[in-house]
């Protein structure tokens, strides 16, 4: 079998997605997700101009060799653009291999280690009553665990906090802008407010509901340690991205001062980013996405490495991971023995039409389905009907106007 064609499709059914489609001379095709939120065209160009020409005529079954060739052969290693491009190739090749075997991907990864995949959903509100309404909405959708984010008194706009109406507007593609939105920030106000929020949530929803919180890299290590300690009475499932992930040594200080479980890694794209954190057991969950970590191949290796230190998986799964990347994640979730939880926000109905998928979400749990491959098919015509539209993540500034260094 040989690769005879490979194409990059950029589509925007509410959000921008970059998809690689690889075709073989035996009629099999594979899909890979290369979406890099806010920098989509950089990855599309990397694939089209530098990677696709190297794939033509090669054997799609040589997944590991192809991965190493693309990673080592370019000389310039790692980085989100490179690793998103390699991830798309890796997942597309796994898709082809599983289709050739007539099996769903998880069977090629060792088979199922569980019957279904537990998820958590996002709840947010500009104030506590709005937050409660959002939590109730997620519970009604069946989520067994909830990430809690809220506005901060005195701040007009906080990242990750949107009303249900704003979420609907964004999902319809009407909330995007051609330049980053500038949001304000006050760390002291945030640190005063968040423990009171969790006290209120526990009082309203009881002690059993698993609660998560994302600090979005905004705290110094000592600030993160303080927050983790103050949140201990509310027994969080985890505190995520409490301090900038690049400062691995900073997690030592956090770990010394709190027993709140820690999750980190969604901005990581290589196992080397995790070495201190895993070897010293400074975290409890690794958060990288299939799409940004180089694909299924290296992420499974990371989970095997983390398992030696009782660290669990928690694959990053926001709305800007396409159904292709989500499907690959769910197959991996089902197979690895040290699975923890899967982030899942779902996609718009239009996105699900562009990417028809076999995975299902039932009562708060995911299953990848039993179709050969990853179980996703791309509607090229519908994808073309929704072209790329510029869109960015927000920029955070302190009240004095300084760009906040997350």
């Amino acid at each position: 079998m040989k690769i005879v064609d490979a194409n990059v499709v950029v589509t925007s059914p509410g959000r921008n997605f970059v998809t690689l489609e690889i075709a073989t001379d035996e009629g099999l095709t594979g899909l890979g997700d290369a979406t890099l939120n806010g920098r989509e065209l950089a990855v599309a160009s990397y694939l089209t101009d530098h990677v696709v020409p190297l794939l033509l005529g090669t054997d799609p079954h040589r997944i590991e060799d192809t991965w190493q060739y693309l990673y080592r052969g370019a000389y310039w290693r790692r980085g989100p653009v490179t690793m998103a491009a390699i991830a798309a190739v890796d997942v597309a090749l796994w898709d082809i291999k599983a289709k050739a075997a007539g099996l769903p991907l998880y069977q090629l990864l060792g088979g199922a280690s569980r019957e279904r995949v537990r998820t958590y959903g996002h709840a947010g509100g500009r104030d506590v009553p709005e937050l409660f309404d959002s939590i109730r909405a997620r519970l009604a959708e069946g989520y067994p665990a909830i990430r809690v984010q809220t506005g901060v008194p005195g701040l007009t706009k906080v990242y990750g906090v949107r009303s249900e109406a704003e979420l609907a507007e964004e999902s319809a593609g009407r909330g995007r802008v051609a330049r980053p939105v500038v949001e304000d920030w006050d760390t002291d106000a945030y640190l005063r407010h968040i423990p009171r929020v969790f006290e209120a949530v526990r009082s309203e929803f009881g002690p059993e509901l698993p609660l998560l919180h994302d600090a979005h890299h905004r705290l110094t290590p000592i600030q993160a340690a303080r927050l983790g300690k103050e949140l201990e009475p509310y027994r969080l499932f985890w505190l995520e991205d409490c301090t900038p992930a690049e400062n691995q040594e900073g997690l030592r200080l956090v770990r010394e001062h709190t027993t709140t479980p820690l999750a980190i890694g969604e901005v990581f794209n290589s196992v080397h980013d995790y070495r201190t954190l895993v070897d010293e057991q400074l975290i409890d969950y690794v958060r990288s996405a299939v799409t940004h970590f180089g694909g299924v191949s290296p992420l499974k290796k990371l989970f095997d490495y983390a398992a030696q230190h009782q660290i669990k998986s928690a694959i990053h799964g926001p709305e800007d991971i396409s159904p292709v990347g989500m499907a690959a994640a769910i197959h991996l979730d089902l197979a690895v023995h040290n699975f923890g939880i899967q982030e899942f926000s779902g996609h718009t109905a239009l996105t699900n039409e562009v990417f028809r998928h076999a995975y299902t979400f039932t009562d708060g749990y995911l299953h990848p389905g039993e179709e050969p491959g990853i179980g996703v098919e791309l509607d090229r015509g519908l994808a073309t009907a929704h072209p790329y539209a510029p869109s960015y993540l927000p920029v955070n500034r302190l009240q004095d106007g300084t760009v906040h260094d997350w």
Side-chain angles (χ1 to χ4, degrees):
M1 189 187 301
K2 299 294 183 184
I3 295 173
V4 295
D5 198 14
N7 294 286
V8 179
V9 179
V10 182
T11 184
S12 187
R15 281 183 176 268
N16 293 316
F17 300 113
V18 180
T19 306
L20 176 66
E21 186 176 39
I22 294 177
T24 73
D25 59 354
E26 295 187 9
L28 294 176
T29 60
L31 298 178
D33 181 20
T35 306
L36 187 63
N37 196 352
R39 295 295 184 269
E40 298 90 353
L41 297 185
V43 188
S45 174
Y46 192 108
L47 282 166
T48 300
D49 299 328
H50 303 293
V51 174
V52 166
L54 304 180
L55 299 176
L56 302 180
T58 64
D59 181 354
H61 285 305
R62 298 182 62 167
I63 298 176
E64 181 67 20
D65 183 59
T66 299
W67 196 98
Q68 298 295 341
Y69 175 65
L70 295 176
Y71 179 78
R72 300 175 187 275
Y75 184 77
W76 305 108
R77 302 180 183 184
R78 303 166 65 182
V81 174
T82 294
M83 300 306 283
I86 294 175
V89 176
D90 184 79
V91 171
L93 296 185
W94 276 112
D95 193 18
I96 290 170
K97 183 179 283 290
K99 286 176 179 176
L103 294 169
L105 174 59
Y106 75 84
Q107 294 288 13
L108 273 62
L109 302 176
S113 290
R114 55 198 49 82
E115 298 301 317
R116 55 185 184 166
V117 172
R118 178 173 61 164
T119 69
Y120 71 88
H122 296 177
R126 290 164 294 189
D127 53 31
V128 170
E130 192 172 271
L131 172 63
F132 283 3
D133 289 342
S134 184
I135 293 174
R136 293 187 186 101
R138 299 294 84 76
L139 291 173
E141 292 165 354
Y143 285 101
I146 307 293
R147 191 191 77 168
V148 171
Q149 308 294 133
T150 184
V152 177
L155 303 184
T156 58
K157 199 171 184 64
V158 175
Y159 180 65
V161 177
R162 293 157 292 179
S163 67
E164 295 295 312
E166 289 171 327
L167 284 170
E169 181 179 84
E170 181 177 290
S171 295
R174 295 189 297 270
R176 297 181 298 175
V177 293
R179 294 180 65 87
V181 171
V182 177
E183 299 176 346
D184 52 358
W185 184 248
D186 184 326
T187 303
D188 288 339
Y190 165 79
L191 289 173
R192 289 192 299 270
H193 184 60
I194 289 300
R196 294 198 293 265
V197 169
F198 277 91
E199 181 181 22
V201 171
R202 278 291 179 224
S203 178
E204 179 71 15
F205 294 95
E208 296 180 357
L209 178 62
L211 299 176
L212 304 81
H213 180 66
D214 189 348
H216 295 299
H217 315 275
R218 292 172 174 167
L219 307 176
T220 65
I222 194 65
Q223 291 168 341
R226 168 187 160 189
L227 179 61
K229 191 168 186 64
E230 292 185 352
L231 290 176
E232 285 178 9
Y234 312 114
R235 302 292 297 273
L236 268 63
F237 186 92
W238 77 39
L239 173 62
E240 178 183 348
D241 291 340
C242 60
T243 195
E246 300 93 329
N247 182 14
Q248 295 187 44
E249 293 79 4
L251 270 295
R252 292 180 184 140
L253 188 150
V254 181
R255 196 62 142 180
E256 288 172 358
H257 290 279
T258 181
T259 58
T260 296
L262 303 175
I264 209 162
E266 70 182 58
V267 300
F268 288 171
N269 48 69
S270 166
V271 67
H272 303 291
D273 298 321
Y274 279 106
R275 290 179 62 182
T276 298
L277 302 180
V278 172
D279 288 345
E280 298 186 21
Q281 301 181 61
L282 302 181
I283 57 175
D284 301 279
Y285 297 90
V286 291
R287 291 277 293 126
S288 292
V290 172
T291 301
H292 304 136
F293 201 75
V296 168
S297 299
L299 196 55
K300 187 176 188 304
K301 293 175 185 177
L302 171 66
F303 293 159
D304 290 341
Y305 170 42
Q308 310 313 309
H309 299 276
Q310 294 80 51
I311 297 171
K312 294 184 178 182
S313 74
I315 297 176
H316 187 47
E319 300 95 325
D320 54 275
I321 298 293
S322 87
V324 175
M326 181 57 63
I330 300 167
H331 281 279
L332 193 53
D333 291 333
L334 200 69
V336 297
H337 80 276
N338 59 326
F339 168 76
I341 201 167
Q342 172 65 58
E343 180 180 19
F344 182 69
S345 301
H347 294 95
T348 66
L350 180 57
T351 297
N352 290 331
E353 290 179 27
V354 174
F355 301 92
R356 296 188 300 271
H357 56 79
Y359 66 77
T360 56
F361 177 70
T362 306
D363 297 328
Y365 290 81
L366 290 160
H367 192 280
E370 299 297 334
E371 290 188 10
I374 62 171
V376 183
E377 298 298 329
L378 175 68
D379 187 323
R380 292 287 296 273
L382 192 55
T384 303
H386 297 278
Y388 167 81
S391 182
Y392 297 93
L393 291 170
V395 172
N396 200 260
R397 289 187 181 273
L398 301 177
Q399 292 182 323
D400 65 1
T402 304
V403 175
H404 189 10
D405 180 11
W406 290 9

